Amino acid sequence: MATYYHRAVQDIKNNGFLSTVTIITIALSILIVSAFALFFTNANNVMNYWQKGIRIMAYLKPDISQKNFPDIKRKIQGIYGVQDVNFISKEEAFKRLKEQMKRQSSILMNLNENPLPDAFEICMIASSQRGEKVEEIATKIESLPSIEVVEYGQKWLERFTNIFYLFRLAGYTMGGIFFMAAVFIVTNTIRLVIYTRREEIEIMRLVGASEKFIRGPFYIESIIQGTLGGIIGIAVLFITFKLISSNLEHSFKYELLNIKFLSHEFYCGIILCSMFVGWLGCYISLKQFLKA
Amino acid sequence: MIDGKDKSSIIQMFHVHKHYGSKKALIDINLNISKNEFLFISGPSGAGKSTLLRLIYLGEPVSEGQILVDGMNLSRIFPKRIPFLRRKFGIIFQDYKLISTKTVFDNVALVLEASGKKRKFIEKKVRSVLRTVGIEQRINALPPSLSGGEQQRVAIARAVVGVPKIILADEPTGSLDSDSADIILNLLKDFHTRGGTVIVATHDKELIRKAGGRILYLKQGHLLGPTPI
């Protein structure tokens, strides 16, 4: 093994140009795949953040007495998936409406009485913030006798959930395609490298080298190149990310666009993938080449 | 009889034919090469000399017939055993076949690395062989920076470093001046003196005259000259 490693390092030095080309190709492939992964992870986070804002508004019947409110609140809180229940009196609701409609305040001034009902604002636990779960909770709340109507932006939620799933599906598909493209590009680059070294392989065979002896250093070489390519790709992405994110933080409200770099586990995984892609490219190329 | 029991023979060929499509390169070759023999295969260009050598080290398979090398029947050899067959040979190619990106040392060391020798042994052995062939001072040079004679010496060093039983040399002095050719011939003779078998394919009459040994003549794929078996 030490001999193979020694020969692999020697070969990288001896074939400096070809090794550099291979490393750059792997780095670019990894850069594209990980840039997409970064975009997808952050877009996913933004969508999750938006989804967390989903609330159910349960409006009470007008004839419900104020002394019943604690009991109704307890019943709502007892439903599985409900995290928090806030009472919003009709006076509070009217005050909020006035604040929101400052320009049209004259319309509200002409009202003889407050037309808004008392209501409960219901927040859900994270696992229940999905379309069908929200609908399930809303139906349970609506079935309570004191509740007149329940609203949770049904149409919007349905559309958002569909877009969210579609986005995820597209993300995984694109990720898969990018990964396959990276394997294809790296395989072809390594095949070209092996092709330029075909005479060397032929000579090794003629002097009595076994297939294992020929393949071993190529595998180690491609794993080293894969690792270096992966590290360079991630490093370039990190620098670009830092430059862009520092500009964006000045331009956008922080909560709205809280973009983050890939987690340690994720980019370590990408580097491992890069090593694997290097090895796989070498394996496919050598298999075809040595067979020929 | 193809039993390989002839203890004095190292290579035996029985009715060997080699075709490339409709072109016949070698026709019904029967040959017996003894251990420690110095054999010349002569003939004009295109007579089949290089093809004959390639068949011996299994650079390509025969079309018909059988070849035995040191008891191994090449028609029945498992692919995994081919490297072991090739380690019986030291091969000197007409175009040297040195790896241009590896130093002289690494080119020669390759043979010992391939047979799994230890690093320390390799260092010592390679230096010793390069000293013998008179090229030790170019140990770190790359082959493209060497002259033809120097490259051929490296090729010979690579051929003998693994202490093979047989040296196969294809036009070893083909592109060399007479002084360099003499040095190469002496190195081959030295190997022969120490018990090795040498088979040289050449059309260099001067080389054959200086070396002595058995001469076989190939013409249009037919083996002529002294009866081999």
Side-chain angles (χ1 to χ4, degrees):
Chain A
M1 195 66 187
T3 313
Y4 289 175
Y5 180 77
H6 174 79
R7 280 180 51 218
V9 172
Q10 279 292 113
D11 287 343
I12 290 175
K13 284 182 191 166
N14 292 343
N15 301 284
F17 177 72
L18 289 173
S19 299
T20 311
V21 169
T22 312
I23 291 168
I24 290 173
T25 309
I26 294 174
L28 287 173
S29 306
I30 290 298
L31 181 63
I32 294 167
V33 173
S34 50
F36 173 76
L38 180 64
F39 167 76
F40 179 70
T41 324
N42 276 292
N44 203 19
N45 288 344
V46 169
M47 286 196 139
N48 277 329
Y49 180 76
W50 287 347
Q51 212 170 26
K52 276 179 192 166
I54 294 171
R55 304 269 191 281
I56 295 175
M57 291 302 294
Y59 299 104
L60 297 170
K61 286 178 179 166
D63 54 342
I64 300 295
S65 157
Q66 203 165 352
K67 64 177 183 189
N68 293 328
F69 292 170
D71 187 43
I72 299 166
K73 185 175 178 179
R74 218 171 15 255
K75 277 182 182 164
I76 295 173
Q77 239 159 357
I79 296 170
Y80 178 77
V82 171
Q83 188 182 41
D84 204 12
V85 181
N86 290 318
F87 176 70
I88 300 168
S89 66
K90 53 178 165 183
E91 291 77 22
E92 172 68 20
F94 195 68
K95 198 176 141 193
R96 285 186 191 180
L97 186 66
K98 271 201 227 169
E99 277 170 18
Q100 283 169 11
M101 296 179 67
K102 272 179 187 167
R103 288 186 183 175
Q104 294 87 9
S105 56
S106 58
I107 302 170
L108 300 175
M109 293 287 275
N110 293 332
L111 292 171
N112 295 329
E113 59 176 280
N114 180 358
L116 301 176
D118 291 315
F120 283 106
E121 186 187 51
I122 298 128
C123 299
M124 282 141 297
I125 57 171
S127 61
S128 296
Q129 286 171 343
R130 283 181 287 130
E132 69 274 21
K133 289 274 179 189
V134 175
E135 201 178 331
E136 198 182 308
I137 294 168
T139 313
K140 281 181 185 168
I141 296 170
E142 202 163 23
S143 67
L144 295 173
S146 44
I147 303 296
E148 187 161 70
V149 69
V150 166
E151 271 184 11
Y152 55 93
Q154 290 92 325
K155 288 271 177 199
W156 180 85
L157 183 65
E158 202 174 298
R159 205 172 292 165
F160 179 82
T161 306
N162 286 341
I163 291 171
F164 187 72
Y165 286 141
L166 195 67
F167 179 76
R168 270 201 179 161
L169 183 70
Y172 291 134
T173 312
M174 294 282 279
I177 291 169
F178 278 148
F179 182 76
M180 281 170 69
V183 172
F184 183 74
I185 293 166
V186 171
T187 304
N188 275 299
T189 310
I190 292 176
R191 189 182 297 169
L192 281 176
V193 170
I194 290 172
Y195 186 74
T196 59
R197 291 173 65 183
R198 64 194 181 283
E199 201 176 6
E200 185 180 332
I201 293 172
E202 186 56 30
I203 292 167
M204 284 200 269
R205 279 177 152 176
L206 291 175
V207 301
S210 62
E211 296 291 287
K212 194 176 147 195
F213 179 84
I214 297 169
R215 285 170 195 256
F218 274 105
Y219 286 150
I220 294 174
E221 208 176 317
S222 61
I223 290 171
I224 293 174
Q225 288 167 342
T227 312
L228 289 175
I231 292 170
I232 293 170
I234 291 287
V236 171
L237 182 71
F238 182 72
I239 294 165
T240 316
F241 169 80
K242 278 285 163 197
L243 289 172
I244 294 173
S245 64
S246 63
N247 284 332
L248 282 178
E249 273 171 24
H250 290 119
S251 317
F252 288 88
K253 199 180 165 189
Y254 187 69
E255 293 83 10
L256 193 67
L257 207 71
N258 182 17
I259 53 170
K260 286 179 186 161
F261 193 65
L262 302 168
S263 65
H264 295 309
E265 293 82 12
F266 204 106
Y267 71 70
C268 285
I270 287 181
I271 292 171
L272 279 175
C273 268
S274 175
M275 289 164 73
F276 174 71
V277 167
W279 176 84
L280 186 67
C282 185
Y283 176 79
I284 295 169
S285 307
L286 275 180
K287 200 172 179 185
Q288 290 172 345
F289 188 81
L290 292 178
K291 208 176 175 182
Chain B
M1 279 288 287
I2 307 171
D3 56 10
K5 283 178 183 171
D6 185 353
K7 299 283 183 193
S8 64
S9 295
I10 195 155
I11 297 171
Q12 292 169 281
M13 298 179 108
F14 301 93
H15 304 290
V16 169
H17 294 254
K18 182 67 189 174
H19 313 150
Y20 296 102
S22 59
K23 189 181 178 293
K24 292 179 176 178
L26 291 171
I27 301 154
D28 197 27
I29 305 291
N30 290 288
L31 178 61
N32 193 345
I33 302 169
S34 305
K35 286 176 183 167
N36 195 217
E37 189 171 349
F38 203 123
L39 174 72
F40 281 99
I41 298 167
S42 185
S45 298
K49 304 188 291 294
S50 300
T51 306
L52 188 68
L53 293 191
R54 279 202 297 277
L55 296 185
I56 293 172
Y57 66 77
L58 212 51
E60 48 190 306
V62 295
S63 303
E64 281 175 54
Q66 304 219 32
I67 301 177
L68 296 182
V69 174
D70 199 25
M72 292 172 100
N73 188 334
L74 303 195
S75 308
R76 293 180 192 167
I77 195 167
F78 286 108
K80 280 197 171 180
R81 300 290 302 168
I82 294 173
F84 294 97
L85 167 79
R86 295 209 174 126
R87 286 175 208 166
K88 291 179 188 289
F89 299 110
I91 311 172
I92 302 165
F93 300 94
Q94 194 171 3
D95 57 353
Y96 318 127
K97 285 208 189 300
L98 299 174
I99 300 170
S100 58
T101 53
K102 288 189 186 289
T103 63
V104 166
F105 178 90
D106 288 335
N107 265 284
V108 178
L110 187 65
V111 179
L112 299 175
E113 285 172 353
S115 55
K117 296 286 186 293
K118 292 264 191 311
R119 196 75 206 159
K120 267 190 175 177
F121 172 82
I122 295 173
E123 289 266 350
K124 205 173 157 187
K125 179 78 180 173
V126 171
R127 283 183 185 277
S128 152
V129 171
L130 289 176
R131 199 176 306 125
T132 309
V133 300
I135 195 113
E136 200 194 5
Q137 72 284 2
R138 306 301 308 271
I139 195 162
N140 292 318
L142 292 174
S145 69
L146 303 175
S147 69
E150 286 174 323
Q151 289 194 49
Q152 192 63 299
R153 286 193 215 186
V154 178
I156 289 177
R158 185 182 61 189
V160 299
V161 74
V163 197
K165 290 188 172 179
I166 308 157
I167 279 194
L168 300 176
D170 191 4
E171 300 287 4
T173 57
S175 53
L176 304 181
D177 59 66
S178 64
D179 288 344
S180 298
D182 285 345
I183 293 167
I184 303 300
L185 178 62
N186 288 335
L187 289 169
L188 293 176
K189 276 182 170 176
D190 184 47
F191 176 79
H192 176 245
T193 311
R194 282 186 277 124
T197 305
V198 180
I199 304 168
V200 181
T202 184
H203 60 254
D204 185 348
K205 287 177 183 162
E206 184 65 15
L207 180 73
I208 297 170
R209 192 187 58 74
K210 281 181 187 170
R214 183 154 71 117
I215 308 157
L216 296 174
Y217 193 74
L218 262 176
K219 193 177 179 186
Q220 291 175 337
H222 292 277
L223 194 60
L224 307 173
T227 311
I229 298 177

